[in-house]
Amino acid sequence: MIVRRTTATSAFAALALLFGMHGAHASEAISDPLKRADASFSAHALNRAVDPERIGRLVNEKDCTETAIDCEWQDSAGVRHIIFGEVIAIKIINAAEVRNRDIAALDIGTARARPEVMARVRAFLPEIAIDCLEPGQAGEGDGIASCGGSFEPDGWIKLLFGPDNQLISVRIDAFQGN
């Protein structure tokens, strides 16, 4: 009896270790790439109505006006949620704010250097063509590179990297708001 329990426990521990070593997330089982990417940012889904206070705290109260698109609600993992109308339209993670903590979004984990971040993102979203624009081409500011890809029929991701090739931010947009 003890041998079976130990064997079962060891098998379970081995499976947990195996999945943990590969950074497996429950969201990887989602076949739609936009839904998978969205779920990797947070449980508050894009294009869904939400009570902003359920997300977390308002992080830019002085800039928040009557139009919700100006308001950013941050959850405990550091993901900022921007609401357009009544639905979540954008999610952003500022790498400096989360420092060296794990970024679940797009399976970035603790990677911050551009080559490693992009390898993880491309492995997480193999269905999406992700292109990069170098500093000077990206139009994001001095020394800033931009990498991104689009989902069908709408939505996209964008990652910004500084002059040191370190991750600045990662973002997912559900649609173009006017």
Side-chain angles (χ1 to χ4, degrees):
M1 194 78 130
I2 294 172
V3 172
R4 287 183 189 160
R5 198 174 310 152
T6 304
T7 303
T9 303
S10 296
F12 180 72
L15 284 173
L17 182 60
L18 175 65
F19 285 116
M21 286 172 37
H22 293 291
H25 294 281
S27 59
E28 288 177 354
I30 301 171
S31 62
D32 179 89
L34 175 58
K35 288 181 180 178
R36 183 170 62 247
D38 177 23
S40 75
F41 275 79
S42 77
H44 302 282
L46 291 170
N47 282 320
R48 302 265 188 207
V50 66
D51 173 4
E53 292 179 358
R54 295 194 75 203
I55 293 170
R57 66 184 183 96
L58 179 63
V59 293
N60 66 335
E61 189 171 356
K62 67 179 179 140
D63 298 324
C64 183
T65 64
E66 289 185 27
T67 60
I69 196 76
D70 297 328
C71 306
E72 296 181 8
W73 299 84
Q74 190 172 44
D75 67 16
S76 61
V79 180
R80 291 179 182 230
H81 299 70
I82 299 172
I83 299 168
F84 186 76
E86 294 181 359
V87 301
I88 298 174
I90 303 167
K91 297 178 186 180
I92 301 171
I93 299 170
N94 181 325
E97 288 179 355
V98 297
R99 296 188 189 121
N100 60 352
R101 291 189 331 229
D102 186 68
I103 296 176
L106 309 177
D107 201 28
I108 292 171
T110 56
R112 295 299 185 269
R114 182 172 159 190
E116 186 180 358
V117 170
M118 294 313 302
R120 287 173 173 248
V121 172
R122 286 184 171 117
F124 186 75
L125 293 170
E127 313 90 337
I128 304 301
I130 301 174
D131 298 313
C132 294
L133 296 172
E134 298 304 318
Q137 300 172 320
E140 297 289 346
D142 202 23
I144 307 296
S146 172
C147 298
S150 298
F151 300 97
E152 292 293 331
D154 211 359
W156 64 91
I157 57 169
K158 181 188 270 187
L159 298 98
L160 298 180
F161 296 91
D164 58 356
N165 249 355
Q166 296 294 303
L167 182 67
I168 295 173
S169 66
V170 58
R171 169 182 176 145
I172 187 168
D173 288 62
F175 53 84
Q176 180 66 44
N178 295 323

